[in-house]
Amino acid sequence: MARFRYVIADVFTGTPLTGNQLAVYTDARAIPEDRLQDIAREMNFSETVFVLPPEGDGHVRIRIFTPASELTFAGHPTLGSAFVLAGPLQLTEIRLETGIGVVPVQVEREGARISFGRMVQPVPTWKPFADEAEAAAALGIEGSSLPVEEYANGPRHVSFRLESEQAVTEVDPDMGRLKKLGACGFSTFAGEGSEWKTRMFGPGLGVDEDPATGSAAGPLGVHLLRYGLIESGQEIELTQGVEIQRPSKLYVRVTGTTERIESVEVGGEAVIVANGELQL
């Protein structure tokens, strides 16, 4: 019987049993390829990571699976993997090879403990979202006060700005209808200045509601900068996951102009809460 070690971390939080859960299989070399998706479904977290030797100039390569499919990139698995792996490797920056390329993560320490991490995400592409009316209907909202566009940095994300944080809290999607729109995340958000509230629904990705979505946080920052709601280099705080009892905090900083985005950084805390072995 083969045994494979995993670590469980709660990501985008400093408090155990909140934030977004992540399982990291720290040495996946001997796990059969055809069992990776099965294991992610068994863990049943938003994402599960499998760590492999690097193929290029990264420290390690990671593969990311939701319960339904493999992703080329996702935010909380990348940040959480950095917390799990950078400590034993005694690194201040860990370079993680993902399906979209190498993502560097800078980590800060309080003594031996990693206290914060910040990843440099790929600058997303964007285009108008063709199914805006159907997505709004599936979300149960009237629409967005900003243009609705589809951002891609690996995963695809679409965001709707609502009139208040209370309106975001009250969103009650038709998950079956939303799932028919495909493998895309749909966010609702509200706020101003440096404080914003968001929720992300992704039934087509295998996750009805995500507690903290790092891959959506970067594009949301880009969206806010492009439409003049934040300034270049301004750090904003996103609150997510409250409605599903997994409160999370994500920190986003985007530099550039409304015409040209230069960099996207997403950071937060994480805590390791468990470890164990899977037997196959």
Side-chain angles (χ1 to χ4, degrees):
M1 182 176 292
R3 291 177 170 85
F4 304 104
R5 179 178 179 269
Y6 62 84
V7 176
I8 295 176
D10 291 335
V11 186
F12 289 118
T13 181
T15 304
L17 311 185
T18 63
N20 202 349
Q21 298 159 292
L22 175 72
V24 180
Y25 282 81
T26 54
D27 184 355
R29 288 174 295 178
I31 301 178
E33 171 74 24
D34 62 357
R35 303 311 299 272
L36 299 179
Q37 186 65 71
D38 294 337
I39 293 170
R41 190 178 304 112
E42 178 75 12
M43 303 306 295
N44 202 33
F45 294 157
S46 296
E47 280 98 6
T48 295
V49 165
F50 300 94
V51 180
L52 297 162
E55 294 182 340
D57 62 353
H59 292 99
V60 296
R61 180 166 65 98
I62 61 172
R63 295 181 64 182
I64 304 167
F65 286 77
T66 76
S69 62
E70 183 172 9
L71 301 178
T72 55
F73 171 72
H76 105 270
T78 302
L79 184 67
S81 295
F83 271 76
V84 170
L85 300 171
L89 294 173
Q90 298 183 349
L91 298 171
T92 56
E93 179 187 83
I94 182 167
R95 297 171 57 82
L96 303 171
E97 296 179 5
T98 73
I100 57 163
V102 175
V103 177
V105 183
Q106 294 278 347
V107 296
E108 301 171 9
R109 284 182 165 81
E110 294 179 358
R113 183 181 71 88
I114 297 176
S115 58
F116 195 87
R118 193 182 301 275
M119 74 186 98
V120 179
Q121 293 189 351
V123 174
T125 60
W126 58 84
K127 63 182 180 180
F129 182 58
D131 295 320
E132 176 181 347
E134 175 59 19
L139 289 165
I141 61 176
E142 293 185 1
S144 174
S145 61
L146 288 179
V148 177
E149 294 167 318
E150 177 184 309
Y151 286 81
N153 57 3
R156 297 183 297 124
H157 291 287
V158 176
S159 296
F160 291 78
R161 188 189 184 192
L162 305 187
E163 67 274 13
S164 67
E165 293 188 5
Q166 184 61 33
V168 174
T169 295
E170 294 173 355
V171 172
D172 185 17
D174 180 335
M175 294 297 180
R177 189 171 181 180
L178 205 58
K179 186 174 183 178
K180 292 179 181 178
L181 291 170
C184 185
F186 296 92
S187 296
T188 56
F189 70 96
E192 61 181 354
S194 61
E195 296 186 358
W196 298 82
K197 175 182 177 63
T198 185
R199 296 174 69 188
M200 198 291 287
F201 308 97
L205 297 169
V207 181
D208 283 354
E209 181 168 359
D210 198 34
T213 316
S215 60
L220 178 55
V222 172
H223 199 56
L224 295 175
L225 178 60
R226 288 181 57 229
Y227 288 100
L229 296 179
I230 61 173
E231 298 179 356
S232 174
Q234 177 183 356
E235 183 170 86
I236 62 172
E237 178 186 277
L238 305 182
T239 299
Q240 189 178 339
V242 175
E243 289 74 17
I244 54 173
Q245 290 75 54
R246 304 288 308 191
S248 307
K249 296 287 186 182
L250 303 87
Y251 298 88
V252 182
R253 188 163 57 206
V254 178
T255 63
T257 66
T258 55
E259 292 79 26
R260 181 176 181 273
I261 302 300
E262 297 173 356
S263 67
V264 180
E265 297 179 354
V266 177
E269 299 176 90
V271 287
I272 295 172
V273 295
N275 59 75
E277 288 184 339
L278 176 77
Q279 299 180 9
L280 290 181

